[in-house]
Structures are given as C-alpha cells and as structure tokens.
C-alpha cells in the first residue's frame, strides 16, 4: 500500500522522521495518526525533506508501524 503523509519532524541525521498519515484518521478521532518513518535515500542524492512536506509512504511487510518514505 502507498499513501500520502505529512512530515512533522526530521531527526538530526535525516534518516528517520515523524509523519502524519491522514488516511488512517477518522472523524471521531481527535489525535492525529503519526509514526516514525525510515527515509530511503539513494546514495549520492541530497536529502531535501522539510517539515510540512507531503510525501508518499509505503509500509515494510505491510505493517502500519513500519512506514518508509
């Protein structure tokens, strides 16, 4: 599965970030659905993620607790 997510926080090394996934939120929930995502960067490319960027997220082993950007 692939879904959109919003970057909320990026760690200092740039290898992980907190993302909010609106697809999994419901009208009755008050808390955002957030998870720590692994950032997949091709060697030689510059990490240009910023807070509030919209990214595509997929899930390792189809587990919602293992998102990968």
């Amino acid at each position: 599965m692939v879904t959109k997510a919003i970057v909320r926080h990026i760690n200092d090394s740039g290898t992980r970030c907190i993302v909010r996934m609106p697809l999994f939120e419901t009208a009755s929930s008050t808390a955002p659905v957030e998870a720590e995502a692994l950032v997949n960067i091709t060697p030689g490319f510059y990490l240009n993620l910023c807070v509030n960027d919209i990214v595509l997220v997929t899930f390792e082993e189809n587990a919602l607790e293992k998102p990968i950007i």
Side-chain angles (χ1 to χ4, degrees):
M1 174 200 303
V2 177
T3 186
K4 292 180 186 176
I6 303 166
V7 176
R8 290 294 181 204
H9 175 76
I10 304 169
N11 72 350
D12 293 334
S13 64
T15 57
R16 294 192 176 267
C17 63
I18 304 296
V19 293
R20 175 179 167 235
M21 298 173 281
L23 176 70
F24 302 114
E25 298 174 8
T26 63
S28 63
S29 66
T30 57
V33 176
E34 295 183 337
E36 184 179 47
L38 180 66
V39 179
N40 183 14
I41 305 170
T42 304
F45 279 77
Y46 174 72
L47 174 67
N48 59 352
L49 284 178
C50 297
V51 174
N52 293 326
D53 279 353
I54 297 175
V55 294
L56 293 177
V57 174
T58 188
F59 302 93
E60 182 181 356
E61 301 170 357
N62 286 331
L64 296 179
E65 65 273 5
K66 297 181 179 182
I68 300 175
I69 296 175

mmCIF file of all heavy atoms in Angstrom, residues 3 8 11 21 23 26 29-30 35 38 51 55 63 67-68:
data_model
loop_
_atom_site.group_PDB
_atom_site.id
_atom_site.type_symbol
_atom_site.label_atom_id
_atom_site.label_comp_id
_atom_site.label_asym_id
_atom_site.label_seq_id
_atom_site.Cartn_x
_atom_site.Cartn_y
_atom_site.Cartn_z
ATOM 1 N N THR A 3 0.494 5.522 0.449
ATOM 2 C CA THR A 3 -0.415 6.604 0.833
ATOM 3 C C THR A 3 0.377 7.902 1.018
ATOM 4 O O THR A 3 1.603 7.881 1.102
ATOM 5 C CB THR A 3 -1.181 6.252 2.130
ATOM 6 O OG1 THR A 3 -2.147 7.276 2.362
ATOM 7 C CG2 THR A 3 -0.251 6.128 3.306
ATOM 8 N N ARG A 8 6.266 15.738 9.913
ATOM 9 C CA ARG A 8 6.081 16.550 11.114
ATOM 10 C C ARG A 8 7.392 16.900 11.800
ATOM 11 O O ARG A 8 7.520 17.966 12.387
ATOM 12 C CB ARG A 8 5.167 15.832 12.111
ATOM 13 C CG ARG A 8 3.760 15.750 11.665
ATOM 14 C CD ARG A 8 3.192 17.139 11.621
ATOM 15 N NE ARG A 8 1.804 17.112 11.211
ATOM 16 C CZ ARG A 8 1.208 18.133 10.658
ATOM 17 N NH1 ARG A 8 1.851 19.243 10.445
ATOM 18 N NH2 ARG A 8 -0.046 18.041 10.313
ATOM 19 N N ASN A 11 14.701 13.891 12.202
ATOM 20 C CA ASN A 11 15.786 13.782 13.178
ATOM 21 C C ASN A 11 17.062 14.422 12.633
ATOM 22 O O ASN A 11 17.154 14.757 11.451
ATOM 23 C CB ASN A 11 16.017 12.329 13.614
ATOM 24 C CG ASN A 11 16.660 11.471 12.551
ATOM 25 O OD1 ASN A 11 16.799 11.862 11.399
ATOM 26 N ND2 ASN A 11 17.035 10.278 12.926
ATOM 27 N N MET A 21 -0.316 10.479 8.985
ATOM 28 C CA MET A 21 -0.992 9.795 7.886
ATOM 29 C C MET A 21 -2.500 10.009 7.990
ATOM 30 O O MET A 21 -3.198 9.278 8.695
ATOM 31 C CB MET A 21 -0.637 8.311 7.910
ATOM 32 C CG MET A 21 0.856 8.078 7.709
ATOM 33 S SD MET A 21 1.360 6.379 7.917
ATOM 34 C CE MET A 21 1.398 6.266 9.694
ATOM 35 N N LEU A 23 -4.947 9.335 6.075
ATOM 36 C CA LEU A 23 -5.793 8.249 5.584
ATOM 37 C C LEU A 23 -6.343 7.400 6.722
ATOM 38 O O LEU A 23 -7.474 6.920 6.663
ATOM 39 C CB LEU A 23 -5.005 7.366 4.613
ATOM 40 C CG LEU A 23 -5.744 6.127 4.092
ATOM 41 C CD1 LEU A 23 -6.867 6.548 3.154
ATOM 42 C CD2 LEU A 23 -4.797 5.191 3.394
ATOM 43 N N THR A 26 -9.980 9.137 11.569
ATOM 44 C CA THR A 26 -11.430 9.132 11.380
ATOM 45 C C THR A 26 -12.020 10.431 11.916
ATOM 46 O O THR A 26 -11.356 11.176 12.638
ATOM 47 C CB THR A 26 -12.073 7.940 12.126
ATOM 48 O OG1 THR A 26 -11.828 8.095 13.530
ATOM 49 C CG2 THR A 26 -11.516 6.626 11.639
ATOM 50 N N SER A 29 -11.913 10.576 15.715
ATOM 51 C CA SER A 29 -10.640 10.607 16.442
ATOM 52 C C SER A 29 -10.148 12.040 16.569
ATOM 53 O O SER A 29 -10.242 12.830 15.638
ATOM 54 C CB SER A 29 -9.585 9.757 15.732
ATOM 55 O OG SER A 29 -9.256 10.320 14.487
ATOM 56 N N THR A 30 -9.620 12.370 17.737
ATOM 57 C CA THR A 30 -9.111 13.724 17.957
ATOM 58 C C THR A 30 -7.599 13.790 17.801
ATOM 59 O O THR A 30 -7.053 14.856 17.564
ATOM 60 C CB THR A 30 -9.482 14.215 19.361
ATOM 61 O OG1 THR A 30 -8.957 13.296 20.318
ATOM 62 C CG2 THR A 30 -10.982 14.308 19.520
ATOM 63 N N ALA A 35 3.579 8.203 12.946
ATOM 64 C CA ALA A 35 4.516 7.100 13.115
ATOM 65 C C ALA A 35 5.902 7.572 12.709
ATOM 66 O O ALA A 35 6.050 8.547 11.957
ATOM 67 C CB ALA A 35 4.101 5.901 12.273
ATOM 68 N N LEU A 38 11.163 5.509 8.221
ATOM 69 C CA LEU A 38 12.529 5.407 7.731
ATOM 70 C C LEU A 38 12.612 6.155 6.410
ATOM 71 O O LEU A 38 11.728 6.010 5.555
ATOM 72 C CB LEU A 38 12.901 3.937 7.533
ATOM 73 C CG LEU A 38 14.290 3.631 7.030
ATOM 74 C CD1 LEU A 38 15.327 4.037 8.071
ATOM 75 C CD2 LEU A 38 14.414 2.158 6.726
ATOM 76 N N VAL A 51 9.942 20.042 7.026
ATOM 77 C CA VAL A 51 8.720 19.876 7.816
ATOM 78 C C VAL A 51 7.544 20.431 7.010
ATOM 79 O O VAL A 51 7.666 21.444 6.328
ATOM 80 C CB VAL A 51 8.861 20.597 9.172
ATOM 81 C CG1 VAL A 51 7.562 20.562 9.952
ATOM 82 C CG2 VAL A 51 9.983 19.959 9.977
ATOM 83 N N VAL A 55 4.645 13.643 1.399
ATOM 84 C CA VAL A 55 5.462 12.578 0.834
ATOM 85 C C VAL A 55 4.608 11.337 0.602
ATOM 86 O O VAL A 55 3.528 11.197 1.160
ATOM 87 C CB VAL A 55 6.646 12.228 1.772
ATOM 88 C CG1 VAL A 55 7.610 13.392 1.884
ATOM 89 C CG2 VAL A 55 6.153 11.799 3.135
ATOM 90 N N ALA A 63 3.110 -3.610 7.373
ATOM 91 C CA ALA A 63 2.852 -3.275 8.769
ATOM 92 C C ALA A 63 2.744 -1.758 8.907
ATOM 93 O O ALA A 63 3.664 -1.030 8.527
ATOM 94 C CB ALA A 63 3.968 -3.811 9.656
ATOM 95 N N PRO A 67 6.502 2.445 8.437
ATOM 96 C CA PRO A 67 6.431 3.221 7.184
ATOM 97 C C PRO A 67 7.836 3.557 6.651
ATOM 98 O O PRO A 67 8.795 3.707 7.400
ATOM 99 C CB PRO A 67 5.685 4.482 7.603
ATOM 100 C CG PRO A 67 5.941 4.618 9.060
ATOM 101 C CD PRO A 67 6.105 3.231 9.597
ATOM 102 N N ILE A 68 7.900 3.673 5.324
ATOM 103 C CA ILE A 68 9.145 4.059 4.642
ATOM 104 C C ILE A 68 8.814 5.147 3.630
ATOM 105 O O ILE A 68 7.884 5.007 2.847
ATOM 106 C CB ILE A 68 9.775 2.862 3.913
ATOM 107 C CG1 ILE A 68 10.111 1.745 4.902
ATOM 108 C CG2 ILE A 68 11.024 3.290 3.149
ATOM 109 C CD1 ILE A 68 10.626 0.496 4.234
#
